[in-house]
Amino acid sequence: MKAVVWHDVGKIALDQMPDPRIQHPEDAIIRITASAICGTDLHFVRGTVPHMRPGTILGHEAVGLVMELGPGVRNFNPGDRVVVCSTIGCGRCSYCREGYYAQCDVANPKGSAAGTCFFGGPEETGPVDGLQAEYARIPYAHTVMVPVPPGVTDEQALMVSDIFPTGWFGGRLAQVGNGDVVVVLGAGPVGQLSALSARMQGAGRVMIVDGNADRLQTARLQNAETIDFNSEDPVAAVLECTGGIGADRVIDAVGVDAERPSRGPAATGAPHEEHLWSPGDAPDQALDWAVDMVAKAGTVGVIGVYPMDHHGFPLGKAMNRNLTVQMGNCNHRKYAPGLLSKIAAGHADPGQVVTQEEGLTSVIEAYQLFDRRSPGWTKVAIELP
Ligand SMILES: [Zn+2]
């Protein structure tokens, strides 16, 4: 089969790989009908999240058809249409049973203390081969696969693999409730779906901060209030919009790849178009803004990706302003069935964030255009015939 394989920082290729096989009674083999490129994949390609093992298949978002089931998978039939949860939980340990699928004690072959196990990630996450491929092996398939309800398109279901649950989780971490003023940092696909989720969770106002005009325009389509950090100081803008109080809740949907504003006091003069295969230049920018723009005793939810060895959080300000800060890898399986039901009922259409649909053969070029943050390249879906 063909698959997107990580070889080195800045070097990925569409390679011929062996077809996956059932290795464990609880495995399934699926034929992938749609996959996607996620901002997290860019962290691995850029090297901002280290320790990728050469030869690992990338990708952690997919919709597919069940081809083969191990004898321990009792809840599906061959031919079933499923969405694959990005993070892998065993479905039986104490963490999974409390809904902390991203902290499963069993799924990570590196052990219970190794951290979140997910598809297509670095050495310490398994590694488990990813989903930018024609076929994939799904461990603990009874839990990791979720049936796609009738009427939900591949594109919509694909958003439930990772980014819609992650956006929803951001709202839960930030404790979004009725009437809250919510700021989402980052208008990438996860930020867009964080804004949608915050609205669905009762937010009174949703603001979104980014430096890319096209992404802010997309956010306005769902009536988020947009703040362009290249034309104004986002902290000052939030304070002005909130009568000097600040936001009740802030969601960091950026992570370590934050970029410095191209104008203003922090400017380096480096336009973001030059950031091909390179790390962000302001790794703590989003956290600094979050802590500065949230109201006293407000809540910050962090869903942006930070590597294990990342230090740097404005603890003094957060402590002295009585902030609540919650963060983590999304427990996708906890939210996926509910979000699929909302999509099926017409209450949400996360497929709207998809801006590009590419075939597997053009996936490497798509990676490069996505990495450059080329205008209009917000979320890349990969369709497999
Ligand atoms: Zn578990």
Side-chain angles (χ1 to χ4, degrees):
M1 68 164 183
K2 284 191 164 56
V4 179
V5 178
W6 190 97
H7 292 283
D8 202 345
V9 171
K11 188 161 182 283
I12 56 172
L14 184 63
D15 289 346
Q16 194 67 35
M17 297 290 281
D19 287 349
R21 289 182 176 179
I22 300 271
Q23 296 175 13
H24 184 274
E26 292 165 86
D27 286 352
I29 302 297
I30 62 165
R31 180 169 72 77
I32 292 169
T33 56
S35 185
I37 306 175
C38 176
T40 307
D41 299 325
L42 296 182
H43 290 292
F44 306 144
V45 178
R46 292 169 177 157
T48 41
V49 174
H51 307 148
M52 286 296 290
R53 182 195 286 180
T56 302
I57 297 173
L58 286 170
H60 54 263
E61 296 172 78
V63 177
L65 298 170
V66 174
M67 303 295 289
E68 198 184 341
L69 294 163
V73 186
R74 300 163 183 262
N75 54 340
F76 289 98
N77 287 301
D80 283 351
R81 202 164 152 248
V82 294
V83 59
V84 181
C85 294
S86 293
T87 47
I88 303 169
C90 75
R92 71 168 75 90
C93 75
S94 62
Y95 281 92
C96 285
R97 287 157 80 162
E98 286 293 322
Y100 295 105
Y101 294 95
Q103 298 301 330
C104 174
D105 262 342
V106 175
N108 194 326
K110 295 284 193 296
S112 62
T116 305
C117 180
F118 64 94
F119 292 95
E123 186 69 39
E124 57 266 31
T125 67
V128 179
D129 270 329
L131 308 173
Q132 288 164 6
E134 291 178 296
Y135 298 92
R137 180 183 73 91
I138 311 300
Y140 307 104
H142 43 72
T143 297
V144 175
M145 302 194 309
V146 179
V148 179
V152 175
T153 67
D154 263 16
E155 199 170 80
Q156 290 172 324
L158 188 55
M159 301 300 105
V160 179
S161 242
D162 180 16
I163 67 173
F164 195 12
T166 299
W168 189 270
F169 182 55
R172 301 322 305 138
L173 290 176
Q175 302 178 324
V176 173
N178 286 337
D180 284 348
V181 175
V182 179
V183 176
V184 177
L185 296 172
V190 172
Q192 303 277 352
L193 294 177
S194 296
L196 172 65
S197 297
R199 187 76 81 192
M200 293 170 76
Q201 291 168 14
R205 289 173 77 181
V206 179
M207 300 175 194
I208 193 158
V209 178
D210 203 288
N212 291 276
D214 61 303
R215 293 186 172 193
L216 291 172
Q217 202 175 350
T218 304
R220 278 204 193 200
L221 295 177
Q222 55 161 312
N223 304 107
E225 299 177 52
T226 57
I227 297 170
D228 183 347
F229 65 63
N230 285 319
S231 61
E232 58 185 330
D233 174 359
V235 175
V238 169
L239 290 174
E240 187 193 325
C241 291
T242 55
I245 296 168
D248 301 301
R249 320 287 168 203
V250 177
I251 300 168
D252 169 8
V254 178
V256 74
D257 262 6
E259 295 167 26
R260 227 170 272 284
S262 63
R263 284 192 289 275
T268 60
H272 57 76
E273 285 79 7
E274 290 177 6
H275 282 262
L276 182 62
W277 310 131
S278 70
D281 56 7
D284 300 316
Q285 182 68 85
L287 295 172
D288 286 336
W289 282 343
V291 166
D292 285 344
M293 66 176 52
V294 74
K296 292 186 289 183
T299 310
V300 176
V302 182
I303 49 173
V305 174
Y306 293 87
M308 278 284 195
D309 60 358
H310 184 81
H311 294 268
F313 178 82
L315 185 65
K317 274 186 193 168
M319 185 270 160
N320 283 291
R321 304 185 67 234
N322 285 43
L323 303 188
T324 298
V325 183
Q326 297 197 82
M327 65 202 84
N329 292 322
C330 182
N331 304 302
H332 298 95
R333 183 58 174 75
K334 179 172 178 176
Y335 304 114
L339 292 175
L340 284 164
S341 295
K342 289 183 202 299
I343 296 167
H347 299 318
D349 181 10
Q352 287 175 338
V353 305
V354 174
T355 53
Q356 265 72 31
E357 290 167 12
E358 300 290 329
L360 192 59
T361 50
S362 55
V363 66
I364 303 300
E365 190 191 1
Y367 255 97
Q368 292 169 341
L369 289 163
F370 185 42
D371 182 62
R372 283 185 205 122
R373 294 180 168 91
S374 298
W377 284 70
T378 300
K379 183 65 182 176
V380 186
I382 304 165
E383 296 188 338
L384 292 94

